[in-house]
């Protein structure tokens, strides 16, 4: 293997490795923002809390009803949840697909190079 091909191979390997590690690192990273606690200095009875929660729920439903008039009736507006799948299987599948594509590209390039040498 010539020196130029070795250098190309090293650069392509480094780029492919970086392309794989960046999304994986983002998917596995912890959330750096702490969750605020819900402790307040006021003491409320259970009945007051239920009444306050009921008011907030009614206000929220009224806002949703007003906003629903302007939204299209499909997709997330229809109640479908957006896909948030960051499981290991998804990452492994993406990595496998990238490796298969790289392998196929390598075979194509080798055949082209062999064809040029043969005539």
């Amino acid at each position: 293997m010539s020196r130029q091909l070795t250098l190309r191979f090293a650069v392509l390997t480094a780029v492919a490795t970086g392309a794989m590690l960046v999304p994986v690192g983002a998917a596995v990273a912890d959330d750096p923002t702490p969750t605020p606690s819900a402790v307040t200095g006021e003491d409320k009875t259970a009945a007051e809390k239920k009444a306050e929660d009921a008011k907030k729920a009614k206000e929220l439903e009224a806002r949703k009803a007003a906003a629903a008039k302007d939204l299209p009736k499909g997709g997330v507006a229809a109640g479908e949840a957006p896909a948030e799948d960051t499981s290991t299987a998804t990452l492994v599948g993406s990595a496998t697909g990238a490796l298969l594509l790289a392998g196929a590209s390598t075979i194509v390039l080798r055949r082209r190079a062999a064809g040029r040498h043969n005539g």
Side-chain angles (χ1 to χ4, degrees), residues 86-115:
T86 57
S87 67
T88 305
T90 303
L91 298 174
V92 170
S94 298
T96 304
L99 289 175
L100 288 173
L101 181 62
S105 300
T106 303
I107 291 171
V108 169
L109 290 175
R110 284 188 177 192
R111 285 187 179 178
R112 282 189 177 182

Side-chain angles (χ1 to χ4, degrees), residues 13-106:
T13 303
V15 168
T17 303
M20 296 288 181
L21 291 179
V22 170
V24 170
V28 192
D30 289 337
D31 187 19
T33 57
T35 307
S37 61
V39 177
T40 60
E42 302 173 4
D43 287 336
K44 294 184 179 182
T45 62
E48 289 176 351
K49 287 181 183 179
K50 285 183 183 179
E52 187 176 311
D53 289 341
K55 278 185 182 180
K56 287 181 183 178
K58 286 181 184 179
E59 289 176 8
L60 183 61
E61 289 298 323
R63 287 182 192 163
K64 283 183 181 179
K69 293 178 184 176
D70 299 332
L71 294 177
K73 302 297 181 191
V76 177
E80 296 177 7
E84 293 184 19
D85 187 19
T86 57
S87 67
T88 305
T90 303
L91 298 174
V92 170
S94 298
T96 304
L99 289 175
L100 288 173
L101 181 62
S105 300
T106 303

